Amino acid sequence: MWNISKHWDLLVLAGAVILVVGGVIAFDRSGLSAKSDAEDVLNGKDSLYHPTERPIAAQIADAPQESPAWLDDEDNGPRERSRPVPAPYQKGVVQLGPGASLGGQLPFPEDDPWNQRIDHLEVDPLSDVIIAKIGCEKNLYGDFGSGSWNGAPIGIPYVVVDGQQERFHIKYTAYGDESDPGPYPIPRDAPIEGDPNIDGDRHVIVVDRDNWKLYELFRAFPIADGQLWRAESGAIFDLTGKQKRPVGWTSADAAGLPIFPGLVRYEEAVEQGEIRHALRFTVSNTRNAYVPPASHWASRQSDISLPPMGMRVRLRANFDITPYPPEVQVILTALKRYGMILADNGSDWFISGSPDPRWNDDNLRKLKELQGCDFEVVLMENIVEEEPCDCPEEKEALRRKFSKGAAKELVPTLSRDSFLK
C-alpha cells in the first residue's frame, strides 16, 4: 500500500503544478486554450492571428513568420452556388455580379493582340503538320453552356466588382515567385470553376470595373469564409494595357496569358451578335516554346511538330457557316476574323467560354461538327524556344510529308532523328 505520509512532498508538488496550469488557462490571453485558430476566425473571436482591432488579411500580410496551421485547410462548408441570370446587356454600361455584361467594352485596347484581326495574315509553313499532330479529325468542342458537368456549371465563370470591393490576400502554394501578390478584390462567394469539386483548375476570375483591372487565380480555395484565398498561382492584368507583367512568368494559364479576354460570353455571342476578339483554346500536348502574345511554356517536349503556347489558329475562310444557329455563326465568324489562341494544356480543340443559364446547349453542340482540319495555323514569328531548332531541312521534310492532301491522317510521335527518314 502506498504510504501517503511518506510521500507528502510529492503531493504538494503535484498540487502546485495543478494550480499553475489552472492559472494559465484561466488568464490565457494568447489563445492557447482555443479549440483552433480557424474556429476562432470563423466565430469572430480573438486569436493569435486575428486580433479584433486588425483585419485578418492585414495581420497575415504583416506576419511573414510560420503560417498558422488553419491556413492549410480550405473551407469544406456549404457555399452559395445559385446561378442568377445576369442583367440584360446595355450598351456602355458595365454591370456588377457573376457573368455580368461589360456593355460592349473590350478588355485591353483595340490594338492589343487579343483584339487584332488575323484573317489577312499568311499561313504558317508547318500549319498542316501541327494541325495533324493535334488531331485533324478530332472535333471542336465548346466547353461552356447552361448545363452542368459533375455537379458544376460548364465553363469558366467570372464576376464583375466595383472599386469598393473588399480585398483579400492570397497564400500561394506553387508558383508564388511568378505571381502577383495582391491583395485581390474577391467576393467571399465568388464563383469558382468546377466548384464544388476539388479537382480541376478551379479558376477564379474577377473584373474590377472602376479600376479596369483583371484578377485571376489558378487552383483557388477559400479559407475562413473567403477571408483569405489559397491558390497555386495568380495574376493581375491592367486592362488599359499600360502595365505589363514580366515576360517568362506564368499566370492562371500555362501560357502566361489572361483567361478572361478569350472567353466566349453570352453577352457578345447572343445579345450583341458580334465577338471582336480572339478566343481561348487548349490542346493536350504542347512544345517547350511560346510565341507572342504568350510568355510562358509548360512542356518538356521539343518536337517541332507540336504547337507552342500562344499559337493562333483560324477557321478557314471558305468554311460555310450559314447552316449553323445564329449564336454559333457569331462564334465561327470570330474564329475566321480573330482566330483562337493556344493558352493551356487540356483537351484537344476545346474552346473556353463562360457559363450562363441563358445559353442554348442544343445550339452550342453544333460546334462539334467542326474538326481540326477546318482550321489553319497563322504564321508564327518571334518564337521563343527552350531548345532552339535551326533546322530548315527537317521542317521542309515535315511540310512535304503532311501537305493539305495528307493532313487527314494523324501524325505519329516523331523524334528529331526520324524527321528526315
Side-chain angles (χ1 to χ4, degrees), residues 328-401:
V328 176
Q329 289 189 36
V330 171
I331 296 170
L332 299 183
T333 298
L335 289 175
K336 287 187 177 186
R337 294 176 178 175
Y338 299 93
M340 55 185 182
I341 299 176
L342 178 56
D344 204 356
N345 294 309
S347 298
D348 291 324
W349 300 123
F350 269 46
I351 300 178
S352 302
S354 60
D356 194 297
R358 298 170 294 178
W359 282 119
N360 184 318
D361 289 339
D362 289 335
N363 287 349
L364 293 180
R365 290 189 187 97
K366 296 292 184 179
L367 289 169
K368 292 183 179 180
E369 296 179 7
L370 280 75
Q371 295 183 324
C373 273
D374 295 318
F375 294 85
E376 57 193 10
V377 178
V378 175
L379 181 65
M380 295 184 287
E381 298 179 302
N382 303 316
I383 296 181
V384 179
E385 304 169 290
E386 184 177 31
E387 300 178 36
C389 178
D390 184 14
C391 47
E393 296 86 0
E394 296 176 4
K395 291 180 180 180
E396 178 60 19
L398 275 176
R399 190 191 66 79
R400 290 180 178 178
K401 184 173 183 180

Side-chain angles (χ1 to χ4, degrees), residues 10-28:
L10 294 178
L11 290 173
V12 172
L13 179 59
V17 170
I18 293 173
L19 287 174
V20 171
V21 173
V24 169
I25 295 175
F27 297 98
D28 175 22

Side-chain angles (χ1 to χ4, degrees), residues 63-76:
Q65 63 267 23
E66 183 178 357
S67 298
W70 65 267
L71 285 180
D72 293 324
D73 297 319
E74 63 271 6
D75 291 343
N76 293 318

Side-chain angles (χ1 to χ4, degrees), residues 113-114 246-251 253-258 289-297 308-312 341-344 381-384:
W114 280 102
V247 174
W249 279 22
T250 189
S251 63
D253 245 346
L257 293 166
Y290 65 80
V291 59
S295 63
H296 187 266
W297 62 68
M309 287 294 181
M311 179 189 75
R312 204 160 182 153
I341 299 176
L342 178 56
D344 204 356
E381 298 179 302
N382 303 316
I383 296 181
V384 179

Side-chain angles (χ1 to χ4, degrees), residues 218-233:
F218 168 67
R219 290 284 297 159
F221 294 86
I223 297 172
D225 192 30
Q227 294 181 76
L228 277 175
W229 287 77
R230 168 182 148 199
E232 291 196 10
S233 66

